[in-house]
């Protein structure tokens, strides 16, 4: 299916200044939310106890809060008016060996209820998970930098890693602004977005490199516009099909996966646009020179040819 005219070259680089301004606004907005609201760490990272309770009728949230005398208590609806999630920061030892039974006993006068789920994470385990989560993201970004620098050229690597940081900051800002819980599902979504955004960026960069090597023009703006235009249909269809899948999870996957799907929706949109409007223009801002790049490739080819010639002479006994 051809969505865009394959023969038409779209002027993406003519919009690089506007895209840069919008990107800066999103970054500043994300930093503002992260600085003012912060991240709402869930049970996985903050430690504590989560109890999911279902009532026969609408859950009496105010009565639940009044009946429970627990530190850092949070009572919220979960999926329907009949179901609530109770979170508190105390460890299971403070409420006995069975937090679900403890909560059920404290709420016995609030209505006919059923404890559906109990999750308990100690503060030390939560801190360890949080530390390993940050390490996982950091290591992935470093490995991306090394991989792209080896495969392409240092300007490509720097542009890609800045683009990855750009996407991660905006996604974290969206998590903060929407008040989503930061848990292991959130970490999985962020790592998935890093990989997804990198894949889009690599495809664009690969096409730019092919265009640089095969083309006669040394106009980088034209080369980038031509390369992005050539991959636009593929990028659009890939992003659209992925987005439709995630939207299905968002609307029909239930509350348990709601946070993950929300983050993925934001990440897919931002990752796709940043590969086109952020990563590619950075090659221009970093003064990537096509003529010098071609000369460097020619020198490598000459060195390789000379090495092969010397090896052939050695095998023949000429040297």
């Amino acid at each position: 299916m051809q969505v865009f005219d394959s023969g038409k070259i779209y002027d993406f680089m003519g919009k690089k200044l506007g895209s840069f301004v919008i990107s800066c606004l999103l970054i500043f907005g994300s930093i503002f939310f992260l600085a003012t609201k912060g991240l709402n760490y869930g049970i996985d990272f903050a430690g504590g106890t989560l109890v999911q309770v279902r009532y026969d009728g609408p859950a009496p949230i105010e009565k639940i809060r009044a009946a429970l005398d627990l530190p850092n208590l949070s009572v919220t609806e979960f999926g329907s008016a009949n179901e609530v999630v109770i979170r508190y920061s105390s460890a299971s030892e403070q409420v006995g060996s069975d937090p679900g039974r403890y909560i059920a006993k404290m709420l016995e006068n609030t209505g006919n209820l059923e404890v559906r789920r109990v999750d308990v994470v100690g503060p030390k385990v939560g801190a360890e998970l949080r530390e390993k989560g940050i390490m996982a993201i950091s290591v992935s970004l470093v490995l991306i930098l090394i991989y792209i620098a080896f495969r392409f050229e240092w300007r490509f690597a720097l542009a890609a890693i800045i683009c990855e940081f750009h996407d991660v900051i905006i996604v974290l800002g969206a998590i903060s602004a929407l008040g989503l819980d930061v848990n292991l599902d959130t970490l999985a979504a962020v790592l998935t977005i890093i990989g997804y955004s990198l894949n889009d960026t690599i495809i664009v960069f690969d096409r730019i490199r092919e265009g640089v090597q095969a083309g006669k023009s040394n106009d980088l703006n034209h080369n980038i516009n031509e390369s992005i235009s050539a991959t636009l249909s593929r990028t659009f269809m890939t992003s659209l099909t992925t987005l439709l899948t995630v939207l299905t999870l968002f609307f029909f996957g239930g509350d348990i996966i709601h946070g993950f799907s929300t983050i993925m929706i934001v990440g897919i949109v931002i990752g796709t646009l940043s590969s086109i409007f952020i990563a590619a223009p950075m090659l221009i801002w970093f003064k990537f020179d096509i003529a010098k790049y071609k000369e460097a490739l020619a020198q490598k080819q000459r060195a390789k040819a000379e090495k092969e010639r010397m090896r052939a002479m050695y095998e023949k006994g000429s040297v």
Side-chain angles (χ1 to χ4, degrees):
M1 180 179 178
Q2 192 71 30
V3 180
F4 298 95
D5 185 357
S6 58
K8 184 176 180 180
I9 299 177
Y10 299 91
D11 185 18
F12 293 101
M13 294 304 97
K15 302 174 178 61
K16 60 179 179 290
L17 181 59
S19 61
F20 177 74
V21 171
I22 294 173
S23 174
C24 287
L25 291 175
L26 290 174
I27 290 291
F28 289 144
S30 298
I31 293 174
F32 171 78
F33 280 111
L34 289 171
T36 55
K37 293 185 63 176
L39 294 173
N40 182 30
Y41 290 109
I43 297 296
D44 291 339
F45 292 149
T49 304
L50 179 149
V51 181
Q52 182 180 336
V53 177
R54 181 178 179 83
Y55 284 82
D56 288 344
I61 293 179
E62 294 304 323
K63 287 185 178 181
I64 294 172
R65 289 176 179 148
L68 296 175
D69 183 17
L70 296 168
N72 298 321
L73 177 67
S74 170
V75 182
T76 56
E77 287 188 1
F78 187 79
S80 67
N82 293 19
E83 205 156 349
V84 294
V85 166
I86 301 166
R87 294 182 177 90
Y88 57 96
S89 61
S90 62
S92 60
E93 292 81 3
Q94 297 174 265
V95 294
S97 60
D98 191 344
R101 181 179 298 178
Y102 178 85
I103 293 295
K105 183 178 180 180
M106 294 181 71
L107 298 179
E108 59 185 2
N109 295 326
T110 62
N112 190 19
L113 60 90
E114 174 193 2
V115 176
R116 304 290 299 276
R117 176 166 62 107
V118 178
D119 290 333
V120 180
V121 178
K124 290 184 179 179
V125 175
E128 184 179 347
L129 288 173
R130 185 166 64 247
E131 180 182 340
K132 289 185 177 180
I134 295 172
M135 185 181 297
I137 294 176
S138 302
V139 170
S140 65
L141 292 174
V142 171
L143 292 177
I144 287 170
L145 177 64
I146 295 172
Y147 166 72
I148 300 179
F150 177 78
R151 179 172 174 179
F152 294 96
E153 196 250 8
W154 70 267
R155 291 178 180 84
F156 286 85
L158 189 57
I161 206 68
I162 290 175
C163 184
E164 294 297 311
F165 274 111
H166 166 275
D167 296 348
V168 170
I169 290 173
I170 291 178
V171 168
L172 291 177
I175 293 171
S176 177
L178 296 173
L180 300 175
D181 285 346
V182 179
N183 48 36
L184 292 177
D185 292 341
T186 306
L187 176 62
V190 172
L191 290 173
T192 303
I193 289 165
I194 290 175
Y196 186 89
S197 176
L198 175 65
N199 180 63
D200 273 348
T201 303
I202 289 294
I203 289 171
V204 172
F205 280 177
D206 220 17
R207 186 64 183 84
I208 291 174
R209 184 179 61 175
E210 291 175 1
V212 167
Q213 293 174 350
K216 297 180 179 180
S217 173
N218 289 338
D219 185 353
L220 184 57
N221 280 281
H222 175 77
N223 185 278
I224 292 176
N225 284 332
E226 185 179 31
S227 300
I228 296 176
S229 299
T231 61
L232 195 57
S233 289
R234 178 263 169 209
T235 300
F236 177 81
M237 290 304 299
T238 301
S239 299
L240 180 62
T241 52
T242 308
L243 187 60
L244 289 174
T245 303
V246 176
L247 284 172
T248 303
L249 293 176
F250 179 82
F251 288 111
F252 304 107
D255 288 285
I256 292 179
I257 205 170
H258 185 268
F260 175 86
S261 55
T262 302
I263 297 168
M264 286 298 298
I265 290 170
V266 175
I268 289 170
V269 174
I270 294 298
T272 302
L273 294 178
S274 66
S275 299
I276 297 173
F277 294 103
I278 301 299
M282 283 185 183
L283 298 177
I284 298 172
W285 298 329
F286 292 156
K287 307 297 182 183
F288 177 74
D289 192 308
I290 292 181
K292 291 182 179 179
Y293 182 69
K294 287 182 177 179
E295 178 59 29
L297 290 177
Q299 288 180 1
K300 288 182 179 180
Q301 290 296 326
R302 287 194 293 268
K304 183 178 180 180
E306 179 64 18
K307 186 177 180 180
E308 292 296 329
R309 187 181 70 82
M310 294 298 293
R311 179 182 297 173
M313 292 177 62
Y314 177 80
E315 291 175 351
K316 291 178 181 180
S318 301
V319 293

